[in-house]
Amino acid sequence: MHSAFVVAPTTAVTPITFATRTTWPELAAKLPPMAQAFATANGLTAKAGSWLALPDTDGGIAQVVFGLEDDTAKHRDLFRAGQLPGLLPPGTYRFANAPHDARLAVLAFALGSYRFGRYRKNETPDVRLVPPDGIDIAEISRMAEAATLARDLINTPSNDMGPEELAQAAKDLAARFGADFSCIVGDDLVQQNFPLIHAVGMASSRAPRLIDFSWGDPSHAKVTLVGKGVCFDTGGLDLKPSSGMLIMKKDMGGAANVLALALMIMDAKLKVRLRVLIPAVENAVAGNAFRPLDIFKSRKGPTVEIGNTDAEGRLVLADALALADEDKPDLLVDLGTLTGAARVALGPELPPFYTNDEDLALDVARCAKEQNDPLWRLPLWAPYDAWLDSKVANINNAPSGGFAGSITCALFLQRFVEEAKSWLHVDIYGWTPSAKPARPEGGECQAARAIYALLSQRYG
């Protein structure tokens, strides 16, 4: 059970009353006269995100009133309760009435308790919640732990989270659930036919590697997850400006979220044969760095011309997807922090996803909404596939022109997937630029909860 929760409290439990501007007058009228006067004196209107601790006759806290959006509001933040751990005095609390969505409010409470404290003392709020009846607290705790894993991995700077450290995190997770783990390192990538992964990572003093672990009954449906693990991205010889490089420690966000998803799948014991593949590299600058217009043969066979060394994520994913595809999985999912174009189109909170499986697309969209884990479908627009043509190789990794960058990236990856029954590609951001309820600034768990919910419904 997540540390934000307590099921059998041994101390007093303070009620949290949810109110909106509309419901507050009626709720206030039922308060004792002293509490009413206190709320009035403090100007409480139950504006969304506002709160007030109402005193009891002994000077303690009788209850906390917390404001939510009205039902008629243009947008209701179903994670609004994620503000509470950062606001409330230490203690144990319970919901006195129902928020807009009790399950999501409980999850938000746990997600809002997260603090990254590896490098300085940053104490987790000493605030606990007694979950309401009917909430699957094991499921909520599983999701919260997965989010913590993803956030911690992304927030850790690259000097302490290189390819080797990312591999160790994957190995630790695999060991926890008894999964079979292996890792191909350095020049062995060339020997075992992963030329694109090697090309992207060879300029770094930290050897590139391909992380690979498997779990579950081989007779169950094959679900393979591939996560982009670029532990730092300078852009390579097509060097990013300093502003573009600033948060590139998050460029392994796909890998972090794949590990978060794997944690949930294994912890819930879903009936799948899970395989996790993570190409872990650092895109560095050195005399042996790969160059614009270099050409490499991919694992799958087609030759790839390097249009831009800063379009490296799709290169490492291409080899990993080719390996995954050889298994003919029932579902192949890849996550990566791939394009600025996706952010321009949809912003940091709404990652696009791509698939040609219409049933899968509907399920992803529904689960994303149910889990408050937003995703938005963009098309694998076939006419743009010709933009990837090269005059001297089979394909170019970064077509010139600048149009539809997230779509052309998805089309590039699609070239390396043929045998999988269904394929889902998600172009995540993996980062919260400014804090929101339940979403502290920094590394973020994106798409993992939605996909886990889908897998739970299909293979639970």
Side-chain angles (χ1 to χ4, degrees):
M1 187 172 66
H2 192 271
S3 59
F5 303 125
V6 56
V7 171
T10 56
T11 56
V13 179
T14 304
I16 298 170
T17 300
F18 294 103
T20 69
R21 288 182 184 272
T22 302
T23 62
W24 171 237
E26 183 181 342
L27 291 168
K30 297 176 182 178
L31 294 173
M34 188 181 79
Q36 279 191 44
F38 187 84
T40 301
N42 281 275
L44 182 62
T45 62
K47 176 185 174 184
S50 66
W51 73 290
L52 186 65
L54 301 180
D56 61 20
T57 53
D58 299 323
I61 300 175
Q63 64 173 303
V64 169
V65 180
F66 183 70
L68 299 176
E69 293 85 357
D70 274 309
D71 288 342
T72 56
K74 286 183 179 179
H75 169 66
R76 292 184 304 168
D77 188 345
L78 299 180
F79 274 175
R80 178 66 67 185
Q83 288 180 242
L84 288 165
L87 299 174
L88 298 176
T92 303
Y93 297 83
R94 64 176 176 83
F95 295 166
N97 60 348
H100 296 309
D101 186 314
R103 184 182 64 86
L104 289 178
V106 172
L107 174 60
F109 194 97
L111 295 176
S113 300
Y114 173 84
R115 298 293 182 273
F116 182 60
R118 177 166 174 169
Y119 298 95
R120 70 175 194 184
K121 191 174 183 181
N122 200 351
E123 292 179 358
T124 302
D126 188 16
V127 176
R128 303 286 179 269
L129 181 70
V130 179
D133 292 340
I135 298 292
D136 186 345
I137 201 62
E139 181 84 329
I140 296 291
S141 295
R142 186 177 295 130
M143 289 182 169
E145 184 189 356
T148 294
L149 173 64
R151 288 168 171 179
D152 279 350
L153 290 172
I154 297 169
N155 285 330
T156 302
S158 301
N159 59 316
D160 287 329
M161 186 53 62
E164 185 176 0
E165 290 84 0
L166 183 57
Q168 187 60 51
K171 187 176 183 179
D172 291 345
L173 182 66
R176 172 176 161 187
F177 293 102
D180 296 322
F181 180 90
S182 65
C183 194
I184 304 168
V185 181
D187 291 342
D188 286 350
L189 289 164
V190 177
Q191 302 304 319
Q192 298 189 45
N193 193 23
F194 298 99
L196 294 177
I197 298 173
H198 184 266
V200 173
M202 65 186 175
S204 174
S205 60
R206 302 194 283 183
R209 59 204 69 209
L210 177 62
I211 300 157
D212 185 353
F213 67 84
S214 298
W215 171 92
D217 187 332
S219 68
H220 288 157
K222 289 181 185 175
V223 174
T224 301
L225 311 177
V226 180
K228 174 186 169 184
V230 177
C231 295
F232 192 82
D233 182 18
T234 63
L237 292 178
D238 287 313
L239 196 67
K240 292 178 183 288
S242 59
S243 59
M245 216 184 293
L246 192 60
I247 55 170
M248 279 303 102
K249 68 176 184 178
K250 79 168 184 68
D251 216 19
M252 37 62 71
N257 278 286
V258 156
L259 291 176
L261 177 52
L263 185 158
M264 292 186 278
I265 291 167
M266 295 187 290
D267 190 63
K269 299 180 175 64
L270 297 189
K271 294 180 178 65
V272 298
R273 175 58 171 175
L274 176 68
R275 188 179 191 186
V276 174
L277 294 168
I278 295 172
V281 303
E282 182 174 33
N283 188 18
V285 179
N288 64 330
F290 73 123
R291 292 161 289 254
L293 301 192
D294 279 357
I295 296 174
F296 297 92
K297 190 175 182 181
S298 64
R299 176 180 182 83
K300 190 172 177 61
T303 52
V304 181
E305 182 182 24
I306 307 303
N308 192 311
T309 64
D310 196 18
E312 84 299 329
R314 66 197 69 181
L315 296 172
V316 298
L317 285 178
D319 271 358
L321 285 170
L323 174 64
D325 197 54
E326 290 163 19
D327 259 353
K328 301 181 180 179
D330 296 280
L331 177 60
L332 174 54
V333 178
D334 77 80
L335 303 180
T337 52
L338 284 153
T339 70
R343 277 45 299 160
V344 172
L346 298 175
E349 298 174 32
L350 188 57
F353 74 90
Y354 300 82
T355 181
N356 279 327
D357 182 331
E358 296 302 321
D359 290 337
L360 179 62
L362 290 171
D363 284 347
V364 169
R366 176 177 50 77
C367 290
K369 187 172 183 180
E370 288 172 359
Q371 301 303 325
N372 199 29
D373 191 10
L375 297 169
W376 194 263
R377 189 184 186 187
L378 288 183
L380 286 158
W381 189 247
Y384 293 167
D385 194 65
W387 294 357
L388 295 166
D389 290 347
S390 163
K391 294 176 181 176
V392 290
N394 297 123
I395 188 171
N396 190 298
N397 79 320
S400 60
F403 289 135
S406 183
I407 293 174
T408 54
C409 176
L411 291 169
F412 178 92
L413 296 176
Q414 188 181 33
R415 299 270 190 114
F416 299 88
V417 179
E418 289 183 341
E419 302 295 335
K421 291 179 184 173
S422 288
W423 171 56
L424 173 67
H425 162 61
V426 192
D427 189 345
I428 66 169
Y429 192 47
W431 191 263
T432 300
S434 57
K436 294 176 174 58
R439 292 149 290 188
E441 180 180 340
E444 191 51 276
C445 187
Q446 283 187 319
R449 283 185 293 106
I451 298 168
Y452 166 69
L454 180 149
L455 295 174
S456 294
Q457 291 167 21
R458 290 190 174 190
Y459 307 114

